[in-house]
């Protein structure tokens, strides 16, 4: 499994601790240091079954500074994917990518349900 995270994010730290406590080994990837490409984002988004807007870090400073709340609706999905790929801080994190599933953001109940008891 791949955990795409930002190590300074407290929610990401909680998610990593949760995975460790469940005995689940993951490869980590710092979203700020190693952005996801547009192709990777398209693939992960497609596998997730979620609306693309769920992949935006709506509570992030950059999202607010860029006024994306009002701009996303007028952008094509391709433009949105390219925007997400342009800066890792725009991507909702943590992202957990496993065989056949993608979890966006850390909600312990959802992660527990998906990952079982380890």
């Amino acid at each position: 499994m791949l955990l795409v995270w930002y190590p300074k994010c407290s929610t990401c730290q909680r998610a990593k601790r949760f995975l460790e406590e469940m005995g689940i080994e993951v490869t980590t990837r710092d979203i700020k240091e190693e952005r996801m490409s547009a192709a990777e984002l398209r693939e992960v988004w497609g596998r997730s079954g979620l609306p693309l807007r769920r992949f935006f870090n709506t509570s992030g400073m950059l999202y607010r500074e860029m006024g994306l709340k009002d701009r996303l609706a007028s952008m094509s999905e391709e433009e949105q994917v390219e925007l997400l790929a342009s800066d890792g801080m725009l991507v909702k994190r943590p992202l957990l990518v496993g065989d056949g599933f993608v979890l966006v953001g850390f909600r312990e109940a959802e992660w527990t349900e998906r990952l079982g008891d380890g």
Side-chain angles (χ1 to χ4, degrees):
M1 268 186 268
L2 173 66
L3 178 67
V4 181
W5 72 324
Y6 179 53
K8 295 179 182 177
C9 164
S10 61
T11 302
C12 292
Q13 292 168 7
R14 278 199 329 271
K16 188 168 186 297
R17 208 167 27 253
F18 170 84
L19 293 168
E20 289 168 353
E21 288 169 2
M22 289 190 76
I24 297 172
E25 290 192 28
V26 294
T27 301
T28 58
R29 179 170 168 183
D30 183 336
I31 190 75
K32 187 166 174 68
E33 299 298 319
E34 191 182 345
R35 297 190 311 256
M36 295 179 81
S37 70
E40 286 176 298
L41 284 161
R42 271 191 294 279
E43 195 268 331
V44 168
W45 167 45
R47 287 176 49 196
S48 76
L50 296 169
L52 185 55
R53 69 181 176 276
R54 285 280 308 278
F55 283 80
F56 280 89
N57 178 16
T58 58
S59 60
M61 284 191 314
L62 187 57
Y63 180 90
R64 290 193 301 266
E65 287 169 4
M66 295 177 74
L68 293 178
K69 179 181 178 188
D70 300 320
R71 291 179 47 209
L72 285 181
S74 64
M75 295 172 73
S76 71
E77 288 180 341
E78 187 55 34
E79 288 171 323
Q80 291 179 40
V81 168
E82 293 293 334
L83 183 60
L84 284 168
S86 73
D87 193 314
M89 298 309 280
L90 288 173
V91 178
K92 177 80 173 173
R93 54 196 186 268
L95 271 177
L96 185 63
V97 182
D99 286 338
F101 71 91
V102 176
L103 297 173
V104 181
F106 179 60
R107 287 184 295 284
E108 189 170 334
E110 178 186 15
W111 285 40
T112 299
E113 182 179 324
R114 168 52 79 177
L115 300 170
D117 294 324

